[in-house]
Amino acid sequence: MVNPAAPRLDIAIERWPIAGQFTISRGAKTEAIVVVAQLSQGGLRGRGECVPYPRYGESAEGVAETLRGIADRVAAGLSRTDLQREMPPGAARNALDCAFWDLEAKRSGKRVHELAGLPSPRPLTTAFTISLGTPDAMAEAARRASGRPLLKVKLGADGDPARIAAVRAAAPAAQLIVDANEGWAAETLGANLAACAAAGVTLIEQPLPAEADDALRDIPRPVPICADESAHDRASLAALVGKYDAVNIKLDKTGGLTEALAMDAEARRLGLFTMAGCMVATSLSMAPAMLVGQTARVVDLDGPLLLARDRADGLVYEGSLVHPSSPVLWG
C-alpha cells in the first residue's frame, strides 16, 4: 500500500569516464559505473550514490534491480532505521541510506552532521592514488604528484619492492601508504613488508586475501596493516583484532553512512584506528564519507580527482585538501 506521505524512489545507472586508466591488482578500468538512488517528496529530493563491488558479486544492474525491488516498501513508509534491518550491507543499501540522510536534511533544514549529532565537518587532506604499473610508469606518476602530501600506491604483483622504491625516489617528501588489494601471499609478505618499511611507508592496506589473512597474526608488522576487503561492517570487526592495526571504512561495504558511523565508533573501541576510503566515484559518493573522515587517521577520498569530470556542484579540491559538501550536492 502506498503511503501518500512517503517519498518516491527512482534509480539511475551512470557512467563517468576515468582520466586515463585506473589499475589495481585485480584489473583495470576506464570508467566509474555508479548507481544513484533518488528520493522525491514534496518538491524536495535526497540522493545517494554507490559503486557496485564486483569483488562481492555486485553489478550495476543487480544493485539497481535490488533497489527497484524495495521501492514499494519505501512508498509504503520504510524508514532509514527500517532499512538497516531490511537490506544487508553493501552498495545498494549505501545508495538508499545516503538518500534518506539527504532527504532528512532537506526536510528539516539542518545539515546531516547536525542530524547525526556530529560537529561541523572541516576540510581534510586526502591521499592521491598512484595506479599499479611498471616501476618506471609509477615513478613518473609519482613525480607528477610529488607535491601532494599523501600518496596511495597500488601494489599487489610480482616486483613490488622495485615499484615502491621507485615511487619513493620520485616523491621523496610525500607520505606513502600502500594498497596491495589482496595481491600478496604469505610467502612474499615478509619481503614486501621490509621493502615498504625501507621506503618509509606509513600504512599498508589488505596485503593478503581476506580468506588467508590469519598469517598476519604470526609475522612482525614493521608497518601498520589496515583491513579493507576483510572489513565490512561492525560484525566483521572482532575477528580483525590481533591481525590488523586499522580498518578502512567504505560506505559501499558498510551499506551507508548509518552503519559507517557506528562502525567507526566500534573500531576505535576495539583499539583499531580508522581510515576513510572510497571507490572511484563522483563527489556524491564522497560527500557522506567526509563525515567518516573527520575521525579517521588516514583519508582516501580522491575518487573525483581520478575522473575526467565530476558532477555539478561537486566537492571543492584545493590540491589534496578537500572541503565538505554544499547542501546543493548532498546533506
Side-chain angles (χ1 to χ4, degrees):
M1 179 182 297
V2 174
N3 180 345
R8 184 185 77 249
L9 173 61
D10 294 299
I11 309 300
I13 297 175
E14 299 177 351
R15 297 175 180 270
W16 295 82
I18 291 173
Q21 182 171 277
F22 181 76
T23 304
I24 66 173
S25 62
R26 284 190 290 269
K29 61 181 182 178
T30 57
E31 63 179 2
I33 304 174
V34 307
V35 180
V36 176
Q38 178 172 299
L39 295 171
S40 302
Q41 183 181 44
L44 302 174
R45 70 171 186 176
R47 296 184 300 167
E49 177 182 294
C50 72
V51 179
Y53 211 141
R55 166 70 172 79
Y56 305 121
E58 296 177 337
S59 67
E61 293 76 14
V63 164
E65 188 61 28
T66 296
L67 288 168
R68 293 186 189 105
I70 204 169
D72 287 346
R73 297 292 312 282
V74 173
L78 181 83
S79 69
R80 179 172 57 82
T81 301
D82 298 331
L83 179 64
Q84 312 310 310
R85 298 187 298 267
E86 295 293 324
M87 293 184 74
R93 195 177 79 184
N94 176 31
L96 187 50
D97 180 78
C98 291
F100 269 119
W101 277 108
D102 192 25
L103 184 61
E104 288 171 36
K106 302 295 193 300
R107 287 190 306 213
S108 67
K110 297 181 178 181
R111 300 303 305 273
V112 166
H113 72 267
E114 297 177 88
L115 297 175
L118 302 173
S120 296
R122 69 190 189 283
L124 300 171
T125 298
T126 180
F128 181 80
T129 301
I130 305 299
S131 286
L132 180 65
T134 65
D136 286 347
M138 294 181 72
E140 178 56 31
R143 191 172 296 110
R144 292 195 301 268
S146 60
R148 294 181 180 273
L150 177 61
L151 299 180
K152 175 172 174 172
V153 183
K154 291 289 189 178
L155 298 179
D158 291 342
D160 278 346
R163 291 185 178 91
I164 194 61
V167 168
R168 170 50 78 202
Q175 180 183 355
L176 301 182
I177 58 177
V178 157
D179 186 2
N181 284 116
E182 304 181 280
W184 295 347
E187 307 83 70
T188 60
L189 182 60
N192 283 325
L193 290 178
C196 287
V201 169
T202 57
L203 185 70
I204 299 172
E205 285 183 71
Q206 198 68 43
L208 299 177
E211 63 274 12
D213 65 0
D214 278 344
L216 294 173
R217 295 187 188 277
D218 305 320
I219 189 168
R221 300 197 295 270
V223 179
I225 305 296
C226 179
D228 185 355
E229 285 85 352
S230 290
H232 296 266
D233 56 3
R234 279 173 291 175
S236 67
L237 290 176
L240 305 181
V241 176
K243 296 189 288 187
Y244 294 94
D245 307 289
V247 57
N248 188 346
I249 300 177
K250 293 180 178 176
L251 273 65
D252 282 314
K253 292 186 300 174
T254 67
L257 180 63
T258 302
E259 177 64 20
L261 293 174
M263 184 179 179
D264 174 69
E266 178 64 7
R268 288 184 284 116
R269 188 189 72 80
L270 291 171
L272 298 164
F273 69 86
T274 61
M275 174 179 182
C278 70
M279 306 293 281
V280 182
T282 81
S283 284
L284 185 57
S285 281
M286 304 304 120
M290 282 288 291
L291 298 181
V292 179
Q294 299 300 308
T295 53
R297 187 181 300 184
V298 178
V299 175
D300 177 29
L301 300 178
D302 66 342
L305 295 178
L306 305 175
L307 299 177
R309 59 181 177 85
D310 194 7
R311 63 176 74 246
D313 303 306
L315 298 183
V316 174
Y317 288 82
E318 294 177 335
S320 292
L321 189 69
V322 54
H323 294 264
S325 68
S326 74
V328 177
L329 174 68
W330 183 87

